[in-house]
Amino acid sequence: MTDHHHQSTRGEPRVALVTCADLADLDPDDRLVLGPLAERGVTAEPAVWDDPGVNWAGYDLVVLRSPWDYALRRDEFVTWAATVPALVNPADVVRWNTDKRYLGELSAAGAPVVPTSWVTPGESWQPPADHGEYVIKPAVSAGSQDTGRYDLADPEHRELAKAHVRRLSTAGRVTMVQPYLDAVDTAGETALLFLAGPDGLAFSHAIRKGPMLDGPDLGVQGLYKAEEIGPRTATPEQLAVAERVLAAVPGGRERLLYARVDLIPGPGGTPVLVELELTEPSLFIGYADGAPDRLAGAIVARLR
């Protein structure tokens, strides 16, 4: 048998595309980059992040892609990331970005962010009195897991919301509470995808995600909730908000191989940030002409 994890000394550079055991052959969208990388003389292969048999030092570059089972083991995942040479995005970005309390830092830096309050484990919480709709989710999560939408005018929903926060708190998890922005029901969510280019991180393409939260959290089967995706043309206003968000990334945006900026129209229609995905975002490269090539080019440039 050949050793698939030997050090690359001569010949083709070797790249690991980091995934999880449930997606050991990669997410179908990520597989689209394999051909363009091979055309550029790069051997890329999936590698499961918590597989003890992987020699991470044997790769010239380690690219985080779909390690989507980390949310309940974030400490283990962050510790692992710190041990991996040539990881992108870098381990300190992973540490910062896998806890959504980063939204508070971005807001403080002047980026328009969905208003968010936080409930730490052991803290008592009462639903807001304004009877609007709210979203409740953990500060560490992936794939809309443990996320619910509650109409606080409904007494049953108020009780379910309190139970949801209690459940997260009992599990030692920080809860985030945000107003539900109903523009998502019509406009959907816009994800702006940025990939490293010759002059640094540059806008690549955008997609529309349909509304996903239709009620209280009743549990998600699998790694993530299925999404309704389509291509979208980004507006100048959305791009301007994304640039403000990326300008506030600790350590600078130039270190990033990719970034995804998720926006929803806020009150008055101005785009506000829902999430900044720098760790393991779906990049939706199958929805834009040339995007697999652009991602391959970004990886190759990082190898040099």
Side-chain angles (χ1 to χ4, degrees):
M1 286 178 62
T2 57
D3 175 11
H4 289 289
H5 307 297
H6 61 276
Q7 178 69 42
S8 170
T9 49
R10 294 186 301 279
E12 294 193 343
R14 296 176 66 254
V15 171
L17 301 176
V18 180
T19 185
C20 58
D22 284 346
L23 288 167
D25 288 327
L26 298 174
D27 185 63
D29 191 67
D30 287 326
R31 295 192 65 81
L32 298 175
V33 78
L34 296 175
L37 282 172
E39 289 166 14
R40 289 163 171 80
V42 174
T43 300
E45 59 194 30
V48 175
W49 75 271
D50 57 352
D51 176 355
V54 178
N55 170 25
W56 299 104
Y59 292 102
D60 299 289
L61 194 68
V62 177
V63 181
L64 286 165
R65 286 314 316 123
S66 47
W68 293 333
D69 59 357
Y70 78 83
L72 295 177
R73 294 186 285 156
R74 174 182 173 260
D75 289 350
E76 183 186 339
F77 182 67
V78 167
T79 300
W80 164 82
T83 69
V84 179
L87 183 73
V88 285
N89 284 329
D92 63 298
V93 171
V94 171
R95 176 179 290 279
W96 179 77
N97 188 240
T98 47
D99 184 327
K100 292 184 179 66
R101 282 177 284 188
Y102 70 76
L103 289 170
E105 293 180 40
L106 293 176
S107 179
V113 173
V114 178
T116 307
S117 58
W118 311 91
V119 186
T120 53
E123 193 179 344
S124 66
W125 178 79
Q126 287 297 322
D130 69 359
H131 286 187
E133 284 195 281
Y134 282 81
V135 174
I136 292 173
K137 58 185 172 183
V140 178
S141 67
S144 297
Q145 293 271 17
D146 302 303
T147 298
R149 168 183 170 186
Y150 300 89
D151 178 359
L152 298 184
D154 179 331
E156 184 186 3
H157 273 227
R158 291 181 78 82
E159 290 309 311
L160 287 169
K162 287 193 276 190
H164 188 166
V165 174
R166 261 199 316 274
R167 191 163 68 246
L168 292 174
S169 189
T170 301
R173 304 173 78 183
V174 174
T175 302
M176 50 198 292
V177 181
Q178 299 173 319
Y180 183 77
L181 301 178
D182 57 13
V184 75
D185 294 334
T186 49
E189 187 175 315
T190 301
L192 284 75
L193 287 305
F194 290 77
L195 299 173
D199 303 314
L201 200 65
F203 175 69
S204 168
H205 59 286
I207 58 102
R208 176 192 186 274
K209 290 200 277 184
M212 291 176 59
L213 298 179
D214 47 14
D217 172 40
L218 302 173
V220 171
Q221 296 303 311
L223 285 174
Y224 53 87
K225 196 166 180 174
E227 297 175 318
E228 172 203 321
I229 308 294
R232 169 163 272 178
T233 302
T235 66
E237 192 176 24
Q238 288 170 334
L239 289 166
V241 168
E243 292 294 338
R244 284 172 65 188
V245 168
L246 292 170
V249 172
R253 58 184 283 170
E254 61 280 351
R255 298 189 302 147
L256 304 176
L257 179 73
Y258 51 71
R260 196 180 91 199
V261 183
D262 294 344
L263 305 175
I264 290 178
T270 307
V272 294
L273 180 73
V274 188
E275 284 190 35
L276 170 63
E277 299 257 18
L278 304 179
T279 302
E280 32 59 47
S282 293
L283 296 175
F284 304 113
I285 56 176
Y287 291 86
D289 288 345
D293 278 308
R294 286 193 289 279
L295 178 56
I299 289 171
V300 168
R302 200 50 66 97
L303 282 165
R304 293 196 179 115

